[in-house]
Amino acid sequence: MSTNDTWTLGKHTLTSRIIVGTGKYASLDETRAALAASGAEIVTVALRRVDLSSKEPTVLDAIDRKKYVLLPNTAGCYTADDAIRTLHLARELGMDELVKLEVIGDPKTLFPDNTATVEAAKRLVKEGFQVLPYCSDDLITCKRLEEAGCLAVMPLAAPIGSGLGIRNPHNIRLIIENVGIPVIVDAGVGTASDAAIAMELGCTAVLMNTGIAGAKHPVLMAEAMRLACDAGRKAFRAGRMPRKDYANASSPTAGLIE
C-alpha cells in the first residue's frame, strides 16, 4: 500500500487530517503552542468574535499565515444573509476564498439551520467562494450541499462544545458512502478516541476546538488528537478484522498433537 496519503481541498494538497479552531484558549501563546502540537495545516477563526479594530493583538496574530491555511468561519450567524455578509468581510480583508459556513438555527443546542445553510451555500458558491458547510448528520442535506457545489460537507458528531463524541456513527457512515466530496466531522469531539472513531469510519478529516482548548492541558491534548487522527486513518486504510459472535483462537490449531 502506498504511504502517500494526502487529500485535496480546492487548491490545497494536505497531509494533516485535523483542522483546529482558535477559540477558548487561555492566551495567544497557548493558542500558538496548541496549533503547533496538533499538526494542523488548516486553522479556523470565527470572524464575528474577533475585534478587528483592536490595537491589542488578536487571535489572528497567533496564526502564521505562511504556515497555516486560514479558514474564516461564520460562527454566531443565525441567517443566511448574516453569514454571507460575514464572508464578504473576510474577502475584503484579503482572506482566502476557502470558508467555513455556519448558520445556526437554535441558540440553545446550536444545531444548524440546514435550509438556510443550503441557501447560503448556493449563493456563496456562485460568488466564487469555496464553501465548507457545517450541517446536521443528515444524508439528504449533505447531498443538497454537494449539489450546490460545496468542496466538502461538515456534519456534526454532537452539539457544538458538548464533547459527547459521535452520537450517530451510522449516519456518518451513510454520508461517507453516498457523497463524492470529503466528509469532515465537525463539533462534539471531546477526546482522542472520538477523533480516532471518526477516522476509522472513513471521514476525510476532523475539525475540533473545545475538545482541545477545554482540556486541562490543551497542548498535550492537541498532540493526542493529532496521534488519534493518524492512528484512526491508518486503521481505516488497513481494514479491520471482521466482527465475530464467538471466539476464534489466535494460534493455529492445525497439526496439534492430540
Side-chain angles (χ1 to χ4, degrees):
M1 177 180 288
S2 172
T3 57
N4 182 27
D5 186 33
T6 60
W7 61 291
T8 302
L9 199 59
K11 65 183 179 183
H12 305 287
T13 299
L14 306 159
T15 55
S16 174
R17 300 275 172 171
I18 182 172
I19 301 171
V20 291
T22 50
K24 303 182 180 180
Y25 290 100
S27 66
L28 293 184
D29 285 341
E30 185 176 76
T31 304
R32 293 187 187 96
L35 297 185
S38 73
E41 295 169 293
I42 301 178
V43 177
T44 186
V45 175
L47 284 183
R48 290 172 65 94
R49 293 170 183 158
V50 178
D51 183 358
L52 299 174
S53 64
S54 175
K55 296 182 179 179
E56 299 297 321
T58 70
V59 68
L60 291 173
D61 297 298
I63 302 170
D64 183 348
R65 299 284 294 276
K66 295 179 181 178
K67 182 177 181 181
Y68 301 107
V69 176
L70 180 62
L71 181 68
N73 72 61
T74 62
C77 292
Y78 284 82
T79 68
D81 286 340
D82 280 348
I84 291 167
R85 276 194 296 268
T86 299
L87 294 178
H88 284 168
L89 173 61
R91 175 177 273 173
E92 289 173 9
L93 292 171
M95 296 183 184
D96 197 89
E97 301 295 316
L98 188 67
V99 297
K100 179 188 172 187
L101 172 64
E102 278 187 38
V103 184
I104 300 301
D106 177 64
K108 183 176 182 180
T109 63
L110 299 182
F111 283 152
D113 182 331
N114 291 323
T115 301
T117 299
V118 172
E119 175 194 341
K122 289 178 178 178
R123 292 164 59 185
L124 288 165
V125 169
K126 287 180 179 178
E127 293 181 13
F129 287 95
Q130 298 179 326
V131 182
L132 310 182
Y134 163 69
C135 60
S136 297
D137 56 348
D138 173 69
L139 173 60
I140 305 307
T141 297
C142 289
K143 288 176 76 69
R144 296 287 179 268
L145 291 165
E146 180 182 20
E147 291 165 1
C150 294
L151 284 191
V153 288
M154 306 179 78
L156 56 80
I160 292 172
S162 67
L164 289 172
I166 298 179
R167 295 291 86 195
N168 294 297
H170 179 65
N171 285 14
I172 299 296
R173 188 179 292 110
L174 284 176
I175 294 167
I176 293 167
E177 291 175 356
N178 289 281
V179 301
I181 53 178
V183 176
I184 303 169
V185 157
D186 180 11
V189 171
T191 192
S193 57
D194 299 332
I197 289 170
M199 298 309 298
E200 287 173 11
L201 286 171
C203 292
T204 304
V206 182
L207 190 151
M208 63 188 76
N209 185 177
T210 309
I212 296 175
K216 290 182 180 179
H217 302 287
V219 178
L220 186 59
M221 182 59 82
E223 181 182 6
M225 293 293 194
R226 173 178 61 80
L227 295 171
C229 286
D230 187 38
R233 177 64 182 175
K234 284 182 168 65
F236 172 74
R237 296 181 74 208
R240 65 157 291 139
M241 62 168 283
R243 290 181 171 86
K244 300 177 181 178
D245 291 332
Y246 297 97
N248 184 28
S250 57
S251 300
T253 56
L256 290 178
I257 300 174
E258 296 291 338

